[in-house]
Amino acid sequence: MFSRKRPFRTLLRSRSQDAPVRSGRGVFTRRALVVMAVQAGVLGALGRRLYNIQTVEGDHLRQLAERNRTSKRLLAPARGTVHDRFGVALADNKVSWRALLMPEETTDIASVIERFAQIVPLDEHDRARIERDLKHVHKYVPVTLHEFLSWDDMARIELNAPSLPGVLVDVGSTRLYPFQDLTAHIVGYVAPPNEDDVAKDTTLSLPGMRVGRAGIEQTQESVLRGDPGSVEMEVNALGRVIGEIDRVEGQQGEDVRLTLDVGLQSKVLERLGDRVASSVVMDCRNGEVLAMVSTPSFDPSLFDSGVSHAQWNEWANDPRTPLVDKAVSGLYPPGSTFKPAVAMGALKAGAVTPQDRFNCPGYFDMGGVRFHCWNKWGHGMINMREALKFSCDVYFYEVARRCGMDPIKAVGNAMGLGVKLDIELPHVRAGVIPTPEWRQQHGFHWNGGDTVNAGIGQGFVQVTPLALATYVSRIASGRNVQPHLIRATNDQISGLASLDAAPAVDIPQEHLNVVRAGMFAVVNEQRGTAPKARLDLPDVQMAGKTGSAQVRRVSRALRESGHFNSMSLPWEYRPHALFICFAPYDDPRYAVSVVVEHGNAGADEAAPLAKQIMTDTLLRDPSNQSRPPGQTVAQAEPEQG
Amino acid sequence: MNTFGFLKSDKRLLRAEPDFRPMARLLQVNWLYVLLVCLLAGVGYVALYSAGGGSAKPFAGPQMVRFGFGLVMMIAVALVSPRILRIMAVPVYLLSILLLGLVLRMGHVGKGAERWINLAGMQFQPSEFAKIGLILMLATWFHRIGNERMGNPLRLIMPAILTLLPVVLVLKEPNLGTATIIGVIGATLFFAAGMRLWQIVLLVAPIPFLGKFIYGHLHDYQKARIDTFLHPEHDPLGAGYNIIQSKIALGSGGMWGEGYLHGSQGQLNFLPEKQTDFIFTMIGEEWGFAGGIAVIGLLTTLTLGGMLIAMRSRNQFGRLLGLGIAMDFFLYCAVNLSMVMGAIPVGGVPLPLISYGGSAMLTMMFGFGLLMSAWVHRNERDPGFEDEDD
């Protein structure tokens, strides 16, 4: 206890000379009592507060509990829309209705569901889900009966409301893709978030939230999504909403405007028809992608509500790979379209000059192996321009042998081949320009024959249609253009829109001119490989390069039998047909690449397609228009649902 | 280890009293106190049974299994001699600091703050462990110094650093609630160990001025961060919302409650975290003020009982150890109850032995084991000292 005489002196005393050595127990006891007093005081005060809350304020609070209580809910923000370069909506939001069932408001749930099914048919999948939801949620939480009701269904439900106790119609939003499969690979699609998404961002658990799963929807997720708002509601003791107190609107997602011209896109799709093919149309002055088609395609709106297993399996097992955007993810050997890159690489390395002539006897022997030219009679003594024009294989075997892979790779990469292009799409593949080091990293030995093969774009060389379009754009404009799809976000035009913003490529002008002249000859001169690509337009000429890429080695025995005809092969063994081109020749504006899978020959299959696509492009001239050619913006709007 | 020279005197003690009879010591355990602890855990079981929607799953059952473990651990620790506890103080303290550092580096994010660490598949909160480590450490330190030398301010520098280290580390997690609790426990131990009043005055007086000075020199964003610490109710869906719901639920309980398993707010999931931080709200709603005040009474009995156990010890180590544990228990209760009743706006502090959670339960039972060790070994005297109040 405290010292009887002078408690404060005792408490304050720091040192006492004559006292025995103390263990501190006395001080401890006194101070522990102080601590205990504080503890008892605090707990007593808390008890008193509890008394106040539970009995004095109790009545008031009880009323709050029984009658009204506020409940805060988050509101899903409207997702930003995607437009083409002329403002035509490619991804839009549509008001949709869904039917909900309040389990607590009905006594006979089964019969209500039956009556509902007579108005809006429910399949087994729906019924199983409803049954599962009913078991798992509390009685005051609504269960979704049917999402995406049509206006008619909604009206019929409202009309039959008296016989459907507990059923109510809720307004939601659906993602709408007016052009469906036409823009599916570019715009992508949205789907309900999965558990991983929700773990990263809890606002995604809000009903109605969607996550971009492909294309622009995926890569521009942060721009399109927006911020959720909130609404504060009065809720009764059973959790039912009775009124709204406060509403904070969220920030709507920003709109994205693409460089695409959906009119041109549909023309390109029309031209490709039912081929398994891909084509990219680019403004070769600034890299704007005007059309990018990959066939076959798929309907993106199916993902919003969830794709059925059967549909998914059909897509996944289709050898024509409808879900893959071949323009950025499809890898093809470039075949002869690679020859301009080989030519520029050799010129830059000084291995050959444009005037050097080599003899083509129709074959090329190296290390005991005979490599054939596509023309078994040979092309004779030819220079670089002629070699490009005839697409002579032997000339480029020789060129590749002389300069080796490194300069070819350097120039190819500078032109956009074998590097990952920074376009606003997911799953963009880089492709490959092989070198001995690359081959060794994969644990193989590089043969001299591999160099020769790469010289004509066969063997290990792989590129995407987008890379080919970029490559031909850079040849045509001499500028290091970057392919891109986004023109503006929320009407703020982003960079690279101006026509000469891109720096010049690292290739001497005279080298480019040799290649351009060769490509001009391919299309416009006698004995060029692609006369079928000659434009029918007055005063406009196109330059291009064909390519036919073998997917299977042709055995010598077959070739020598003299009966070799690739059209007789099964479809999946036929060569791919490729064509790259730009026009007008004297003032390049557009670049086009076309790849037709197993199209057999570039000159016969891809070149005519490229000609038609280029004609369409030149006639529309989307880069120089402010609205779709021949239409007002209002007319260009597709019919809505 | 020679830098911690205070261990020498313990060797002397070891020779003085070679008593190792576990059974005799088992009889010395304060079984009344153990009974009260079991009673509190029983209250927890009943409350968690209700929080689980009238089922032992998923909360009440596992919690009882943990309590069983905890009880065995408590009795086992109670039999450990203070000599051994003092030897273990340094490694335990260092380990707890190490774990705190670790949680900052690779903490598993739970509820926005890095407080959890995954240890062999078990979620583990090192700040709980750090409290025990600090109490052991300070009790050992002050035991070695003795009351006489507390007057020398230089002797207090080291324990001050030992206290601030876990406080700062926990504050960085950031967990203001637990950091404050650790700080207060440390300060109370300084006070009870016999820190001179002039030292206390000198230390406490400049704090308001210092705080103002530092706050004035902070960047705006740092100020904003402190404001969110102090006023979480500004967070629209955060602690403020929880507290409103909690008060409404308590109010609807009234004097006699809505009846066990019939609390509308709790049973309808309007109570957030009703099985952890807000378990007391559930009790108050279903059992009314009568039940709530009974639980507070039980908590008060355990707190003051712990203090009385501490006072009965004849050695400084036992006294400080007991006081530290009792203070820890008290602060848990006080902070949790204040939060539930909306008196202070902090979160993340459970109600000991009642809230669902293994880490807090096991550390608290370990603490009670230490308290019980102080009781069992209360008659071991400090050599060379004389108890003036005997």
Side-chain angles (χ1 to χ4, degrees), chain B residues 89-378:
Chain B
V90 177
V92 166
Y93 176 82
L94 289 179
L95 183 67
S96 74
I97 294 297
L98 191 77
L99 287 174
L100 278 180
L102 215 60
V103 82
L104 279 182
R105 279 207 163 272
M106 45 158 267
H108 179 273
V109 178
K111 303 258 165 57
E114 299 161 5
R115 298 173 190 176
W116 297 85
I117 201 166
N118 223 329
L119 217 66
M122 209 181 81
Q123 297 271 297
F124 179 73
Q125 210 170 353
S127 55
E128 308 274 357
F129 189 49
K131 267 182 286 195
I132 303 291
L134 179 68
I135 292 168
L136 265 176
M137 190 71 217
L138 286 183
T140 309
W141 193 280
F142 290 135
H143 171 82
R144 170 64 190 131
I145 294 180
N147 183 45
E148 278 303 298
R149 279 176 278 183
M150 288 293 288
N152 183 353
L154 294 176
R155 297 264 175 191
L156 301 183
I157 292 174
M158 194 60 191
I161 293 171
L162 291 174
T163 311
L164 286 176
L165 199 57
V167 169
V168 169
L169 285 174
V170 173
L171 207 55
K172 273 189 117 173
E173 282 182 6
N175 186 346
L176 186 67
T178 307
T180 312
I181 289 182
I182 295 178
V184 172
I185 291 173
T188 313
L189 285 173
F190 271 83
F191 176 68
M195 193 181 180
R196 305 299 180 249
L197 281 179
W198 62 267
Q199 290 170 336
I200 298 172
V201 171
L202 267 181
L203 213 62
V204 172
I207 285 179
F209 301 100
L210 206 67
K212 218 168 184 179
F213 178 78
I214 292 173
Y215 191 81
H217 281 76
L218 288 177
H219 289 293
D220 281 344
Y221 74 91
Q222 285 168 323
K223 284 181 187 170
R225 205 173 288 170
I226 289 173
D227 285 345
T228 10
F229 260 151
L230 298 177
H231 306 290
E233 73 270 18
H234 292 173
D235 177 12
L237 288 173
Y241 177 79
N242 292 357
I243 285 168
I244 293 168
Q245 291 300 326
S246 173
K247 278 176 78 175
I248 289 173
L250 284 175
S252 66
M255 189 48 132
W256 302 108
E258 296 190 355
Y260 185 52
L261 301 179
H262 287 94
S264 65
Q265 311 300 301
Q267 297 296 341
L268 283 176
N269 285 323
F270 268 103
L271 277 182
E273 311 193 35
K274 62 180 177 192
Q275 77 277 14
T276 55
D277 291 0
F278 286 88
I279 189 78
F280 185 78
T281 313
M282 184 106 196
I283 293 172
E285 188 191 12
E286 297 195 347
W287 303 340
F289 174 71
I293 199 70
V295 171
I296 291 183
L298 185 55
L299 296 173
T300 312
T301 312
L302 276 165
T303 302
L304 299 183
M307 294 296 289
L308 288 174
I309 287 176
M311 290 200 299
R312 286 288 298 275
S313 177
R314 290 189 180 198
N315 56 78
Q316 185 76 334
F317 176 73
R319 287 192 289 263
L320 290 173
L321 187 63
L323 179 127
I325 300 298
M327 197 64 198
D328 182 22
F329 179 78
F330 161 75
L331 284 172
Y332 260 125
C333 300
V335 172
N336 178 272
L337 292 178
S338 308
M339 171 181 78
V340 163
M341 295 181 211
I344 50 170
V346 290
V349 178
L351 192 60
L353 303 199
I354 298 186
S355 286
Y356 180 73
S359 181
M361 159 76 87
L362 290 178
T363 36
M364 199 65 243
M365 290 305 284
F366 188 81
F368 278 138
L370 294 176
L371 178 70
M372 208 42 68
S373 169
W375 171 263
V376 171
H377 306 89
R378 64 190 176 280

Side-chain angles (χ1 to χ4, degrees), chain A residues 113-438:
Chain A
I113 292 177
E114 261 333 295
R115 281 196 292 267
F116 179 84
Q118 284 167 10
I119 300 169
V120 182
L122 296 171
D123 59 24
E124 279 175 37
H125 184 70
D126 286 332
R127 282 172 191 271
R129 183 188 49 76
I130 292 168
E131 203 155 300
R132 197 181 58 225
D133 286 357
L134 280 170
K135 267 186 210 152
H136 282 89
V137 301
H138 287 272
K139 279 196 162 239
Y140 57 87
V141 176
V143 170
T144 307
L145 287 178
H146 196 280
E147 264 190 285
F148 314 117
L149 292 172
S150 68
W151 174 267
D152 289 349
D153 288 339
M154 200 267 294
R156 264 180 289 170
I157 291 168
E158 295 287 2
L159 206 64
N160 289 298
S163 69
L164 297 169
V167 174
L168 52 99
V169 174
D170 190 31
V171 183
S173 157
T174 323
R175 200 67 164 164
L176 182 72
Y177 300 103
F179 294 98
Q180 298 176 335
D181 54 339
L182 179 60
T183 56
H185 288 126
I186 298 164
V187 177
Y189 52 84
V190 292
N194 60 28
E195 281 172 23
D196 287 347
D197 298 320
V198 175
K200 274 181 222 143
D201 183 355
T202 47
T203 58
L204 285 177
S205 61
L206 293 174
M209 283 299 262
R210 294 287 186 268
V211 179
R213 286 276 182 257
I216 293 290
E217 293 269 31
Q218 181 183 346
T219 59
Q220 304 302 305
E221 177 69 26
S222 56
V223 177
L224 292 167
R225 188 187 290 168
D227 296 318
S230 64
V231 58
E232 207 169 331
M233 288 174 299
E234 274 183 302
V235 181
N236 73 355
L238 293 170
R240 200 180 313 148
V241 176
I242 17 189
E244 194 175 300
I245 298 168
D246 188 25
R247 177 180 276 261
V248 181
E249 291 297 340
Q251 179 68 47
Q252 191 189 335
E254 290 180 35
D255 297 342
V256 170
R257 182 172 283 210
L258 302 183
T259 58
L260 213 66
D261 172 10
V262 77
L264 180 63
Q265 177 90 355
S266 80
K267 286 225 153 119
V268 174
L269 179 69
E270 209 173 285
R271 297 297 188 192
L272 294 181
D274 55 3
R275 294 174 182 87
V276 181
S278 173
S279 176
V280 177
V281 181
M282 197 182 280
D283 186 329
C284 65
R285 300 166 299 179
N286 58 10
E288 285 186 347
V289 175
L290 301 165
M292 182 151 79
V293 177
S294 167
T295 61
S297 187
F298 61 94
D299 183 355
S301 51
L302 295 177
F303 284 91
D304 198 5
S305 48
V307 177
S308 71
H309 264 281
Q311 178 68 72
W312 177 262
N313 285 336
E314 191 191 319
W315 282 335
N317 296 329
D318 191 334
R320 303 174 303 158
T321 60
L323 291 177
V324 175
D325 184 0
K326 298 180 181 70
V328 297
S329 308
L331 288 180
Y332 305 93
S336 301
T337 58
F338 192 56
K339 285 171 183 169
V342 176
M344 288 185 289
L347 288 174
K348 202 169 183 207
V352 291
T353 68
Q355 291 76 36
D356 285 350
R357 286 180 180 273
F358 300 122
N359 181 40
C360 167
Y363 56 85
F364 178 83
D365 286 323
M366 190 175 136
V369 183
R370 175 159 290 191
F371 295 87
H372 293 274
C373 189
W374 65 268
N375 181 345
K376 62 181 172 183
W377 310 114
H379 293 104
M381 291 295 284
I382 50 173
N383 64 14
M384 183 172 280
R385 185 174 167 283
E386 287 160 345
L388 284 168
K389 173 182 166 186
F390 301 138
S391 196
C392 174
D393 291 339
V394 170
Y395 179 93
F396 285 99
Y397 291 146
E398 177 63 22
V399 166
R401 188 189 65 77
R402 287 190 178 210
C403 80
M405 285 314 295
D406 290 331
I408 296 175
K409 178 180 163 65
V411 167
N413 288 352
M415 301 310 277
L417 300 176
V419 288
K420 189 160 179 187
L421 293 165
D422 188 21
I423 194 165
E424 301 89 343
L425 287 178
H427 314 301
V428 177
R429 297 180 71 176
V432 177
I433 297 179
T435 59
E437 292 78 44
W438 173 85

Side-chain angles (χ1 to χ4, degrees), chain A residues 14 23 31 49 54 69 237, chain B residues 191 195 250 265 341 387:
Chain A
S14 60
S23 67
R31 293 193 174 180
R49 190 177 167 90
Q54 297 211 279
R69 180 182 19 261
Chain B
F191 176 68
M195 193 181 180
L250 284 175
Q265 311 300 301
M341 295 181 211
D387 281 356

Side-chain angles (χ1 to χ4, degrees), chain A residues 373-623:
Chain A
C373 189
W374 65 268
N375 181 345
K376 62 181 172 183
W377 310 114
H379 293 104
M381 291 295 284
I382 50 173
N383 64 14
M384 183 172 280
R385 185 174 167 283
E386 287 160 345
L388 284 168
K389 173 182 166 186
F390 301 138
S391 196
C392 174
D393 291 339
V394 170
Y395 179 93
F396 285 99
Y397 291 146
E398 177 63 22
V399 166
R401 188 189 65 77
R402 287 190 178 210
C403 80
M405 285 314 295
D406 290 331
I408 296 175
K409 178 180 163 65
V411 167
N413 288 352
M415 301 310 277
L417 300 176
V419 288
K420 189 160 179 187
L421 293 165
D422 188 21
I423 194 165
E424 301 89 343
L425 287 178
H427 314 301
V428 177
R429 297 180 71 176
V432 177
I433 297 179
T435 59
E437 292 78 44
W438 173 85
R439 191 74 178 137
Q440 263 161 15
Q441 278 165 16
H442 289 73
F444 295 97
H445 183 66
W446 180 267
N447 297 313
D450 292 332
T451 307
V452 169
N453 243 331
I456 61 161
Q458 299 279 6
F460 305 115
V461 191
Q462 284 191 314
V463 299
T464 62
L466 178 73
L468 284 175
T470 309
Y471 160 61
V472 72
S473 288
R474 290 181 185 175
I475 291 175
S477 65
R479 293 188 185 281
N480 195 24
V481 295
Q482 300 296 334
H484 60 281
L485 266 170
I486 293 187
R487 191 172 163 85
T489 302
N490 252 8
D491 283 338
Q492 297 286 309
I493 303 277
S494 55
L496 273 179
S498 96
L499 292 180
D500 36 42
V505 286
D506 185 22
I507 308 279
Q509 197 62 35
E510 57 268 29
H511 296 176
L512 286 170
N513 284 337
V514 172
V515 168
R516 288 176 192 152
M519 289 172 69
F520 177 83
V522 166
V523 178
N524 298 297
E525 286 183 9
Q526 286 285 314
R527 293 181 66 209
T529 53
K532 289 180 185 175
R534 202 170 301 164
L535 292 178
D536 301 326
L537 302 171
D539 304 329
V540 185
Q541 284 158 320
M542 176 162 104
K545 184 74 200 77
T546 54
S548 307
Q550 285 167 13
V551 294
R552 203 183 64 147
R553 200 183 163 82
V554 179
S555 75
R556 181 193 287 186
L558 189 63
R559 190 186 290 277
E560 286 177 354
S561 72
H563 299 297
F564 174 67
N565 178 357
S566 54
M567 273 310 273
S568 62
L569 290 170
W571 179 77
E572 61 267 34
Y573 292 143
R574 290 179 203 163
H576 297 312
L578 299 92
F579 197 74
I580 56 172
C581 57
F582 64 90
Y585 175 68
D586 44 8
D587 179 20
R589 187 175 297 168
Y590 299 109
V592 172
S593 71
V594 175
V595 176
V596 181
E597 279 191 17
H598 311 294
N600 205 28
D604 297 331
E605 185 75 7
L609 278 174
K611 169 199 163 184
Q612 291 167 336
I613 291 168
M614 183 61 90
T615 308
D616 293 337
T617 310
L618 288 167
L619 289 178
R620 281 182 75 84
D621 200 12
S623 287

